[in-house]
Amino acid sequence: MEVIVSLGAYLLPMLLFFYMGLDVLYRNPKKIEHQLVSLIIACYFIMFMEEYVRFLLPIEYSPALTALWFSNVGIAMPGIGVHFISKFSGMDKRLPRFVYPYIFYLPLLIIPFNIFSNQKYISSQEFVQVGIWKYPVYNFPYFAAMTGSILIAIVYLVFLLLGQARVRATQDREREPIYRLMIAGTIITMLWVVFFGYFQFKNTLPPYSYLYGGLVWCFMLRLAMQRFEFLNSNKQRYERLFNLNPAAILLVESSGTIKEANPSAKQMFDHLQLEHAGLDALASTELKKRLRNQLEIKELETKIHKGERELTVLIDGDYVTVDNEPHVILIFRNITLIKEHQEQIAFLAYHDALTELPNRRFFYERLAAAIAEAERKQQQLAVVLIDLDEFKETNDRFGHDAGDALLQHTAGLIKESVGGQGMAARLGGDEFVLFISPLPAADCVYEIIPEIEERFASRSLRYGNEQLFAKLSMGISLYPRDGLDGDSLLNRADKAMYKLKRERKLRKHNVEQLPQSQSIL
């Protein structure tokens, strides 16, 4: 009978405390909160162990065991508990460094006093046998110890209430439920200690029944851990990082089978069932080569397949062992949009935004290279400057949208005219330029000009109900006859173009001045 009673009254609670203490410490052994909670649970374990030993020994051993073992552990517990609550609630940050955490352990100074005072003041020294139990006599030392425990519980509660007020002020919705649960656990434990500590239940419950309130407090603490991941383990923390990471993360076996994928990876590769797919379905040749040769994978920029699309990604990886098997962790960062923006910025640095033709800067660079090539090979080169006639009238009549459409139409025709013989560009406004290289003979350019004029004359732009035609004036210069550098060639072509414009205006003016009969002829 006594064996069954001891099993239920002492050994089972000791096993529960032992399990909970190891579980909390294992979750993060380097964190002070975990260490303190483990110490509190260890104190409960030691006190239950003392009661188990006292239960087995004759009653004459009870005064010494209670004073030197039970009461001294009870003296150490409040300091550890207040230290934990202050750390958990953040009150430790408000304490001066020269007192933290030493102030919590001042009660330990009572232990020498308790030992050298013949154990008369901190714990009861009188016990009575009632059945199988050895109960303490409820005298002044006993009630003093009980009252001290209640005061310590009130300190716990004050710290928790202050912490709860602070998280409410900061609207920390994640931590507020933890405080509510911890406060409820402290109140329940305190009421338990009051009820079972101040009132006697001889021959009904074991001695010091208020100790079982520790199970209640530890249970509430564990419930907080499970529900809100308070004091969560490193493993749980890394799982959260894995699942919440915006980068796509894959854990891949050496065979290429994808073992695990976080939500970001499943979203990036939503066209695949990753749990059944292999790395070959999405890896580039470069990535496969590095994995095959166990090479470093650090900020590897490559393209991977996503159905019919290609994504540009940066990949970081590391080789790890999981369950005694080689694996690789791959982190994918999708930089497709970044690369597109970079390419767009680089494109706009050398191209005109409206027509997408090369701009003045790019044209000069390519013209200089073409001139150097022509000089080296003793070849000729032609520069053709093009200006749109009556472009202002088109803008005034149909609006700037029509003008922009006409510029884009012109750019397309000029680019089509040049083909692979050279390069066309927009210098600005309604002015375009092109060079043709190599030029077999000077006369060749004069054959190209009529082709350009014919293309523009036959290809109109439909704008609404209107047909818009681009009318051109062109000026030509030849390398090396008209200049040896880009500026000289463009200046000579510009003069030739404006000479042509003047001649056209003069002819038009003369025609308008002629009598009607002469104009018809």
Side-chain angles (χ1 to χ4, degrees), residues 18-28 34 38 222 225-226 231 233:
F18 184 77
Y19 167 73
M20 286 190 288
L22 285 182
D23 183 49
V24 170
L25 188 62
Y26 166 74
R27 288 173 178 271
N28 196 341
H34 292 250
S38 299
R222 181 170 175 77
M225 285 192 299
Q226 292 175 340
L231 298 183
S233 65

Side-chain angles (χ1 to χ4, degrees), residues 22 39 43 104 111 139 160 166 185 206 219 236 241 245 248 251 282 311 313 323 408 413 434 438 469 486 509:
L22 285 182
L39 282 174
C43 287
F104 303 128
I111 294 177
N139 52 18
L160 287 172
R166 190 179 63 176
F219 172 77
Q236 288 176 321
L241 289 174
N245 200 308
L251 178 64
L282 51 89
L311 299 179
V313 294
D323 298 330
Q408 291 171 331
L413 293 179
L434 60 91
F469 288 90
H509 177 73

